[in-house]
Amino acid sequence: MEINLSPDILKKWGAVVLVILTLLGGGYTLNASGIFSHEASPEKESNLGGIAAVAGVEATFTLDYEEPIEDWLARLCEVSTEEGCQVAETFLMDSMASILGAKQAKKACTAEYAKKIDSGVQTEGVGDDEKVVYEWEVWKVNLTLSNPWDDSDGEDTVFVQVNNEEGEWKFARILFEQETEKYIEEEVSSEDK
């Protein structure tokens, strides 16, 4: 068998090889630039707790007396830790239903995180048996209500705990006023310096 490599065939094969090399080089360049990377940037990664805090605050304070209370709970549980969802169902659902009925509440909440205030880990066990159960963060979150109660201007700041549950940051709870005092005092003392 004889292979005939005429100048026309060599030009065609040369063009094909050139196109393939160009595509491979362009693909390599795009991949090296990170355009195909789906990893979160370090900045976004550090704000995932704040994003979870905002989602929890908006779910908690977006209220509509015309919808079943179970819809409110479902929205809240969707962005909450398992424990946070159970607490809302056990302790908040009935009182929230009463408030909705009495006040005829219909309001939307928008929120944004201001900054991370604190962080740590929850452990169990002692000594060599101690292990990390989850990471937690506390975020300062500013919120605005579209239709506030009569005695409110519709803007507030809350401190929110979020937990890293199975690799995902989720809303745990809004801190009680007594718990937030230390964070408020720390902010005031750092502003005075």
Side-chain angles (χ1 to χ4, degrees):
M1 173 175 194
E2 187 177 313
I3 298 176
N4 185 6
L5 297 175
S6 68
D8 287 340
I9 291 177
L10 287 174
K11 285 180 186 176
K12 288 178 185 176
W13 278 108
V16 168
V17 168
L18 184 61
V19 168
I20 291 171
L21 289 174
T22 302
L23 290 173
L24 288 174
Y28 174 79
T29 303
L30 289 173
N31 190 43
S33 72
I35 198 164
F36 296 123
S37 174
H38 294 291
E39 296 176 20
S41 67
E43 181 181 317
K44 184 176 181 189
E45 187 77 25
S46 67
N47 294 335
L48 292 177
I51 294 167
V54 165
V57 168
E58 289 179 347
T60 301
F61 293 110
T62 296
L63 306 170
D64 185 351
Y65 74 95
E66 295 178 322
E67 74 178 2
I69 192 66
E70 292 79 14
D71 291 356
W72 169 82
L73 181 64
R75 275 195 311 275
L76 183 57
C77 287
E78 188 175 313
V79 297
S80 296
T81 61
E82 189 175 319
E83 184 180 355
C85 179
Q86 290 171 350
V87 167
E89 183 174 15
T90 304
F91 298 107
L92 296 179
M93 198 164 112
D94 290 339
S95 60
M96 188 61 76
S98 299
I99 291 170
L100 288 172
K103 297 235 182 207
Q104 301 285 292
K106 193 173 200 132
K107 61 181 78 201
C109 175
T110 56
E112 63 181 29
Y113 59 84
K115 63 181 174 176
K116 181 170 38 173
I117 301 293
D118 199 0
S119 62
V121 293
Q122 178 67 39
T123 60
E124 65 180 28
V126 178
D128 291 339
D129 295 329
E130 185 177 37
K131 65 178 185 175
V132 173
V133 180
Y134 59 82
E135 294 176 79
W136 57 267
E137 296 177 347
V138 174
W139 286 80
K140 180 178 179 181
V141 177
N142 299 317
L143 66 94
T144 304
L145 300 174
S146 65
N147 189 13
W149 308 127
D150 298 335
D151 57 346
S152 169
D153 66 358
E155 294 185 3
D156 202 358
T157 298
V158 292
F159 292 86
V160 178
Q161 179 180 331
V162 295
N163 298 345
N164 192 327
E165 189 173 85
E166 298 178 9
E168 184 179 357
W169 286 101
K170 294 197 165 202
F171 173 78
R173 65 191 181 91
I174 296 171
L175 299 184
F176 295 111
E177 191 173 318
Q178 299 87 338
E179 295 173 294
T180 65
E181 287 174 2
K182 77 174 192 173
Y183 298 122
I184 293 170
E185 288 171 7
E186 287 173 5
E187 281 190 323
V188 168
S189 66
S190 69
E191 288 173 4
D192 290 341
K193 291 180 182 179

